[in-house]
Amino acid sequence: MSLVKRLLGNGLARRCICVVVASYIWLVRRSGRWTVHGGEIPRRFWSAGKPFILCFWHGRLLMMPYCWSPAAPMNMLISSHRDGQLIAGTIRHFGLGSISGSRRRGGAAAFRAILRALRNGESVGITPDGPRGPRMRAGQGVVEAARLSGVPVIPSAVATTCRKVLGSWDRFIVDFPFCRGVFVWGEPIEVPRNAGADERDHARRRIEEALNQVTEQADALVGQPGIAALSADDH
C-alpha cells in the first residue's frame, strides 16, 4: 500500500490533510482579487429560499466552495472512495454538507439522498463528469435529478490567472494565491418531469454545452487557454 493510501486510510491523518487543504483554499481566496459574473442568477434562488442543482466540471473543484452563499444549505455529491472522503472533509470547513456515492458505488442510495435534499429545500452540487470521467462530458444522472425533483440546473465555473493544470483525467486545476480570479454563472436549465428519452438526451447536451460555455468564458476572462473536453471518439 502506498504512503498516500495509508495516510488517507488513517482518520487523524486525513483530518489533518483536510485542514491543510482548506487553509490553502482560504489563502487563495483571501489573497486574490475576485469578481463574479452572473451572480444575480443564484442570488434569486438564495433570496427566495429555493434550491437548485449546482453543476461544474470536476477539474474546477478546488475553489468552488467560495462560489456558494454560506447562508444557503448545500450538499455536494462526493465519491465514496478515499479521495472523496478527503473532499468531503475539506468542504465541511466551508459549511458544506456531502452526499456519498457515485455511478459505480452506492449510486441508488445517493440518488435518493439527492432527491430528498432537494425536496427539503437544500441545493445539491454535482460534477456531472465525475468521479472518473469522461472529462467535461455530462452524464445522465444530473438530468434525472433535475427531472424528478423539478428544480433547475445552474452551471458555474471558476478560473484564475495563476494556476497549474495537472495531468489527471479531469485536468484538475490547482489555483495559486495572490492572483486574479473569477466565478461565472450560467442561466438555469429546466428539465420537464414528463420528458421523453429524446428530450432527456437533449437536456443532457444542453447542460454539457452550458457548462463548457461558462468554463470557456471564465478562462477567457482571466486570459487562460481553454481546456478541451474529451471528444466523443475518445470515450
Side-chain angles (χ1 to χ4, degrees):
M1 183 182 294
S2 70
L3 176 61
V4 172
K5 288 184 177 180
R6 287 201 299 272
L7 287 174
L8 293 181
N10 181 285
L12 177 60
R14 187 169 61 246
R15 287 193 294 273
C16 291
I17 294 171
C18 291
V19 170
V20 171
V21 176
S23 299
Y24 180 80
I25 294 170
W26 177 88
L27 174 62
V28 174
R29 176 66 177 84
R30 293 290 294 177
S31 66
R33 293 177 292 112
W34 294 80
T35 55
V36 180
H37 290 252
E40 71 282 357
I41 296 170
R43 281 197 295 271
R44 291 201 301 265
F45 290 83
W46 293 332
S47 61
K50 294 182 178 179
F52 60 88
I53 299 173
L54 165 68
C55 267
F56 57 93
W57 294 132
H58 198 276
R60 309 278 169 152
L61 179 61
L62 186 68
M63 296 306 300
M64 288 305 291
Y66 275 113
C67 83
W68 198 253
S69 167
M74 157 63 80
N75 297 281
M76 278 295 305
L77 178 62
I78 303 292
S79 167
S80 54
H81 292 282
R82 286 193 181 97
D83 55 351
Q85 295 172 16
L86 181 63
I87 295 170
T90 299
I91 65 173
R92 195 174 300 123
H93 289 278
F94 301 96
L96 305 177
S98 61
I99 295 171
S100 179
S102 67
R103 287 172 290 180
R104 298 176 178 86
R105 182 182 297 183
F111 191 75
R112 289 192 296 270
I114 288 170
L115 294 181
R116 187 162 54 249
L118 292 169
R119 288 165 180 164
N120 288 338
E122 299 182 3
S123 294
V124 174
I126 296 177
T127 55
D129 60 343
R132 297 293 177 188
R135 179 179 71 253
M136 297 171 67
R137 306 286 298 206
Q140 202 67 36
V142 64
V143 175
E144 291 304 302
R147 183 179 73 87
L148 294 175
S149 66
V151 307
V153 174
I154 302 184
S156 186
V158 59
T160 56
T161 53
C162 308
R163 70 187 191 186
K164 171 68 175 178
V165 181
L166 304 184
S168 54
W169 69 266
D170 57 353
R171 299 301 185 266
F172 191 85
I173 293 175
V174 178
D175 302 288
F176 296 153
F178 307 104
C179 293
R180 185 167 56 88
V182 62
F183 293 104
V184 177
W185 291 86
E187 293 292 336
I189 299 171
E190 306 271 357
V191 182
R193 188 177 181 86
N194 62 351
D198 289 343
E199 290 175 289
R200 293 197 296 271
D201 184 61
H202 176 67
R204 185 200 64 78
R205 286 185 277 111
R206 281 182 63 204
I207 292 169
E208 184 176 288
E209 290 168 2
L211 270 172
N212 284 329
Q213 286 172 2
V214 296
T215 302
E216 290 170 7
Q217 182 183 353
D219 283 336
L221 285 169
V222 296
Q224 291 284 8
I227 296 175
L230 203 65
S231 71
D233 295 335
D234 293 329
H235 271 233

